[in-house]
Amino acid sequence: PTPTVTYQWQVSDSGTTGWTDITNADQLSFTLTSSQVTKYMRFTMHATNTAGSTDTSSTATTVIAAATTTPQATGVPTVSGTTTAGQVVTADITPVTVTGVPTPTVTYQWQVSDSGTTGWTDITNADQLSFTLTSSQVTKYVRFTMHATNTAGSTDTSSTATNQIVSTDIPAQLASECPSGSCAGSNLSGQSFVGLDLPGIDFAGANVDGTNFNRANLRGANFAGANMVGTQLRGTNLRGANLRGAKLSQRTKKKFLERGNIVTTRFLGTAANLRGANLRDANLARANLAGADLRGANLRHTNARFVDLRSANLSNANLSGAALYKSDLRNANATRTSFVGAHMFSANLRSTVTTCADFSQATGLRTVTW
């Protein structure tokens, strides 16, 4: 009589002998599982009737490979160490878990950026967990990146940026006051550093009341929380400097000390190079910053009431939440500048370039002179 035909998928370690039936695998299709990885498969038809039976089988498949998944990283590495040229920074990768099939290969890379947010580039031969900072990173930022890759793809996970790298090259005029290679917390009141090259020096919390930095190079210097009352900065290069929370005047208003008040600080028009400077939360009320270079500067939540910013370059600057009441921005360049949530009441933006500027959530726009 007509034979009854049944199906069976079989597995073998070698692909030639030792074929065994796979439980419940008796349909024309079969979904491979991890238990078949590195083994071989074949399909068998078993025909039987009252006279007997016979089998016919396919040739063996190629060896079953593991399913591949692209690498995934959870968590980010952290970096510890003093961010001073000549010091060692070390990455901790224990917070990071990397998964993927096949098991990803993980490599390390230290990277450097001028801004600490974009433009990250690899540092040559910096591919270990620890890295010794050099003078070439002064005024810049570094981070640690883990790169995981397998045949299915790759992924990166990076630490947050370090603090700005500062220099250990203290000039002779600073050596006695800053013997440790840092001027943080030092008392430099009334001293003169006219024309000195001081990039990346750490003046955090220092007293530079009345100190003369005219024509000095203070690019990337850190004045966070410093007392800068009457500090002289005529013709000074402050590109990328950090003045967050610096106190620049003793003038009071509404019975409280104004934080970061630049009223008495001598910024003179185009001489003010504050490109990329951090002036977040500073009080710039009535400051003269006409013609200043403030490209990419952080001016978030700054009190900029009555400030003279005529012809200033504010492209890519962040003035989110800033108070710009009656500030004068005539002829300024505000290309791609963020005014998100800024208070613009009675500000003057006549002839100001505002290409791609963001005024979302800004208040007082109807009172602005355009």
Side-chain angles (χ1 to χ4, degrees), residues 23-268:
T23 303
N24 297 323
D26 54 3
Q27 304 298 313
L28 289 172
S29 298
F30 174 69
T31 301
L32 297 167
T33 69
S34 59
S35 64
Q36 285 94 46
V37 171
T38 74
K39 300 182 181 182
Y40 300 82
M41 302 282 297
R42 74 176 183 182
F43 178 78
T44 295
M45 297 173 65
H46 180 71
T48 184
N49 63 13
T50 56
S53 63
T54 188
D55 291 336
T56 182
S57 298
S58 68
T59 56
T61 64
T62 56
V63 66
I64 307 303
T68 60
T69 59
T70 57
Q72 300 291 323
T74 56
V76 295
T78 59
V79 173
S80 60
T82 303
T83 51
T84 302
Q87 298 297 311
V88 176
V89 286
T90 301
D92 180 6
I93 61 173
T94 55
V96 182
T97 300
V98 177
T99 58
V101 179
T103 301
T105 299
V106 179
T107 56
Y108 308 140
Q109 182 63 57
W110 290 91
Q111 297 178 311
V112 65
S113 163
D114 288 338
S115 66
T117 53
T118 59
W120 292 99
T121 58
D122 293 347
I123 302 172
T124 304
N125 298 323
D127 55 4
Q128 304 298 313
L129 288 174
S130 295
F131 173 67
T132 302
L133 299 166
T134 69
S135 58
S136 64
Q137 284 97 46
V138 169
T139 76
K140 301 181 182 182
Y141 304 80
V142 299
R143 72 177 184 183
F144 177 80
T145 294
M146 297 173 64
H147 180 72
T149 184
N150 66 11
T151 55
S154 64
T155 190
D156 292 336
T157 181
S158 300
S159 69
T160 56
T162 63
N163 293 328
Q164 196 170 47
I165 311 304
V166 297
S167 174
T168 54
D169 299 325
I170 299 296
Q173 295 93 325
L174 287 173
S176 61
E177 299 292 343
C178 312
S180 67
S182 171
C183 292
S186 298
N187 183 8
L188 302 170
S189 177
Q191 297 193 38
S192 177
F193 305 110
V194 175
L196 291 186
D197 192 30
L198 304 171
I201 299 294
D202 188 2
F203 293 102
N207 180 12
V208 287
D209 180 1
T211 303
N212 189 344
F213 288 110
N214 288 343
R215 300 187 305 281
N217 177 16
L218 291 168
R219 180 170 178 169
N222 181 18
F223 287 98
N227 178 12
M228 299 181 72
V229 175
T231 302
Q232 298 183 50
L233 297 165
R234 182 176 299 170
T236 303
N237 182 0
L238 284 162
R239 180 173 178 178
N242 180 10
L243 284 80
R244 183 171 183 178
K247 181 173 64 177
L248 293 108
S249 175
Q250 294 290 359
R251 194 170 77 102
T252 59
K253 182 178 182 181
K254 296 182 180 179
K255 299 183 180 179
F256 62 87
L257 185 67
E258 296 181 318
R259 178 172 57 173
N261 191 332
I262 293 182
V263 171
T264 64
T265 303
R266 295 181 177 85
F267 291 112
L268 297 182

